[in-house]
Structures are given as C-alpha cells and as structure tokens.
C-alpha cells in the first residue's frame, strides 16, 4: 500500500502524541530522494538493535525518555534534546519510558 | 571568532527559550559538511526576505508563531509544526509573535 507523505511546504504536526502514544506506530512523515523524516515510536523496554544508515542523521526526542547508544557511549535523551551522527555511525535505542523520536536522515 | 558547534552524539537542548527568547539571537547548533542545524530567532514583526539554500531543508517551529511563505503560499506556523522544502526553493519568514525555528539543512 502506498504511504502518503507530506508534500513540500505543507505543515506536519510533530507535537507529542501524549495519550495516543501507547497505540502509535513508527511513521515516515517526509520522504524524498534527499531527505527522510520519521517519527520513531519506542515503547518502554523496546530495544532497536545496533544499525546504521548511509546519511547523516539528527535524532530529536519529542516525548518520553530513551537510552541512546553510539560512539561508545550510552546517554539518556528526553523531550527537547537533539543529537546528530555522521553517516555510517552505528547506534541503538532503548525505551526507558514510552517515547517518540523524530529522526531526520540526510541522504 | 570560532563558534563552537556540538560534536556528534552530544545532546543539544532545543526546548523553547521562553522568557530568554526576547534577548536571544540566531545560532548555528550543528555544522558539518553534510548537515547544518540552526535555531533561527524571529522577533515579532521581523521579516527575513525571500532567500534560498542549495540543500533540502526542514523548518520546525519551536515556539511562537511565524508567517512562512514558499511555493506561492503564506501559511502560519506555530510550535509543534514542521515542513520541508526541496533545495533551491525560495522562501521568506515573518514573525507574528516572537518565535524560534529549528532549521535543518541537508547539504
């Protein structure tokens, strides 16, 4: 099934999902040949094992808390924090609380 | 003067500036050869005239409200909204309230 993504110039809602978070799933919000933006849903205790992507990424915590591991360090991220990784950097994520992350991939 | 930017993997605070917004200035938070992230401060009434950048961008309103004009449309953006533009798309911004925007440029 084709997934509709936002066209350029159209505003997307990236506010915290709040009470809807527990039933939410990961969703690609923007997808072009240069740029991809994903809202990654990470429930409490869920681990996304080490992986990497070709392009540079930013990771922004929209709500909840996660453990984010990369470059030999594990750090806690909570709402209002962002970090970036160069392309090809292995990283993993674990939900401390139910969380959602905005991941922007520069392709 | 060299401006310090965050190294990869280090969390950056992108929460609303709140009462500190009125004295804040635009700041580049991340700058690499592939990726640039800027917190753009747009005071009430200030206009950033039409301009464009080579790479695809996302624009996220962190606080306040702006008028964002691109692709022949002017729309209001408030906190929790994001949009993207392909590289080379002319756009302009005007502060409705004091606002800050997170601009991510994919180079």
């Amino acid at each position: 099934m084709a997934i509709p993504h936002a066209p350029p110039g159209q505003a997307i809602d990236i506010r915290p999902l709040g009470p809807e978070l527990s039933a939410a799933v990961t969703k690609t919000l923007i997808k072009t040949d240069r740029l991809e933006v994903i809202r990654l849903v990470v429930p409490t205790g869920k681990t996304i094992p080490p992986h990497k992507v070709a392009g540079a990424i930013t990771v922004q915590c929209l709500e909840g808390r996660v453990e984010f591991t990369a470059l030999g360090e594990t750090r806690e991220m909570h709402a209002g924090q962002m970090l970036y990784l160069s392309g090809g950097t292995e990283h993993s994520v674990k939900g401390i609380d139910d969380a959602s992350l905005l991941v922007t991939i520069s392709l």
Side-chain angles (χ1 to χ4, degrees), chain A residues 5-12 30:
Chain A
H5 301 123
Q10 184 178 296
I12 300 165
I30 297 168

Side-chain angles (χ1 to χ4, degrees), chain A residues 21-26 40-48 65-66 93-100:
Chain A
L21 177 58
S22 60
V25 295
T26 291
L40 189 68
V41 172
V42 189
T44 307
K46 161 133 189 206
T47 296
I48 300 173
R65 285 184 304 152
V66 298
V93 181
K94 182 177 178 184
I96 301 175
D97 304 323
D98 286 353
S100 75

Side-chain angles (χ1 to χ4, degrees), chain A residues 48-100:
Chain A
I48 300 173
H51 64 286
K52 54 191 172 181
V53 293
I57 63 170
T58 61
V59 179
Q60 176 183 346
C61 186
L62 296 174
E63 61 195 316
R65 285 184 304 152
V66 298
E67 275 181 9
F68 189 93
T69 302
L71 301 166
E73 269 192 72
T74 297
R75 61 185 82 224
E76 185 181 312
M77 289 186 78
H78 53 74
Q81 289 187 311
M82 165 182 264
L83 56 76
Y84 83 96
L85 295 175
S86 302
T89 305
E90 199 171 74
H91 56 283
S92 63
V93 181
K94 182 177 178 184
I96 301 175
D97 304 323
D98 286 353
S100 75

